[in-house]
Amino acid sequence: MSAVIAAVEERTDAPAYDLDAVRAEFPILRETVHGRPLVYLDNAATTQKPERVIAAVADCYRHGYANVARGVHALAERATLAYEEARGKVARFLGAESSEEIVFVRGTTEAINLVAGSWGRSNVKAGDEILITELEHHANILPWQRLCEERGARLVVAPIDERGEVPLDTLSESARENYLYARAVVGVEYAYPSISQARFAA
């Protein structure tokens, strides 16, 4: 079992978090809209920021804003050090073997396209199956469709039942045992336990 899967499985046993404490970290959620507390659900487009992120960005602009890995002056070195420290923290959190495995991108769509266009072109071959679910946003369908057309692979769309789960018995044996499981449903992985089980069953 990879270190990444082990780290994810370990986190799934964590106790539930305190929703009020989490909301308190986001200043924007103190706003009211039409006389009611703000509920923000458009995270796929733009995510709101907790106080510590706002403070870190402000601190960067005040004390260390410069291009990362492109200069030898003090501010560039400070920005590069902070960037590399962040990569190290993310690597440890995800259980990566090295911070060099961590690539920061602007958003999920860019990340999916990068994975499909680089890892996919190097690893997917004719006859392979790439599994996605009916829950996917079109941004997680089109790159895999293009890759399958280019490589002669097959895109398998897993159904979702009324409970929001992937019924594993509806997948073919090859899809359950021998497929490449490419997806970007991290946001729903913890909300739908059987999706996690489908991933680990691969």
Side-chain angles (χ1 to χ4, degrees):
M1 178 184 308
S2 78
V4 173
I5 292 174
V8 170
E9 286 181 330
E10 182 178 313
R11 283 199 313 275
T12 59
D13 294 334
Y17 61 86
D18 180 343
L19 182 58
D20 290 331
V22 172
R23 282 185 62 86
E25 293 183 24
F26 292 79
I28 193 76
L29 296 181
R30 296 182 200 120
E31 297 290 317
T32 57
V33 176
H34 306 298
R36 295 180 176 222
L38 174 65
V39 175
Y40 187 83
L41 301 175
D42 198 17
N43 290 303
T46 300
T47 56
Q48 299 300 330
K49 306 301 184 267
E51 187 62 52
R52 68 184 74 192
V53 170
I54 295 168
V57 169
D59 184 69
C60 173
Y61 282 130
R62 287 187 182 108
H63 305 292
Y65 187 68
N67 284 333
V68 171
R70 293 196 178 172
V72 294
H73 57 84
L75 293 181
E77 289 178 359
R78 192 178 298 166
T80 301
L81 178 63
Y83 182 87
E84 293 303 332
E85 286 176 352
R87 280 189 359 152
K89 288 178 183 177
V90 171
R92 287 188 297 279
F93 177 76
L94 294 175
E97 292 181 16
S98 165
S99 63
E100 292 178 1
E101 296 178 21
I102 306 303
V103 178
F104 291 132
V105 293
R106 290 171 293 212
T108 304
T109 300
E110 181 182 10
I112 294 167
N113 280 289
L114 180 63
V115 170
S118 59
W119 177 89
R121 286 195 175 113
S122 298
N123 293 280
V124 175
K125 56 192 175 308
D128 284 342
E129 293 180 332
I130 297 175
L131 178 68
I132 61 173
T133 72
E134 289 179 340
L135 290 175
E136 308 307 329
H137 185 277
H138 74 276
N140 192 35
I141 298 171
L142 298 178
W144 304 116
Q145 282 179 328
R146 285 193 299 265
L147 182 64
C148 285
E149 289 170 6
E150 181 182 308
R151 296 292 185 208
R154 181 170 168 251
L155 188 65
V156 178
V157 180
I160 302 296
D161 66 18
E162 65 280 352
R163 296 177 306 187
E165 298 177 348
V166 176
L168 298 179
D169 59 343
T170 64
L171 301 178
S172 70
E173 185 175 336
S174 65
R176 284 196 309 271
E177 295 176 4
N178 300 310
Y179 61 80
L180 297 173
Y181 191 45
R183 63 179 173 76
V185 293
V186 174
V188 299
E189 183 169 347
Y190 304 110
Y192 301 106
S194 70
I195 293 177
S196 295
Q197 292 165 10
R199 182 183 194 285
F200 299 133

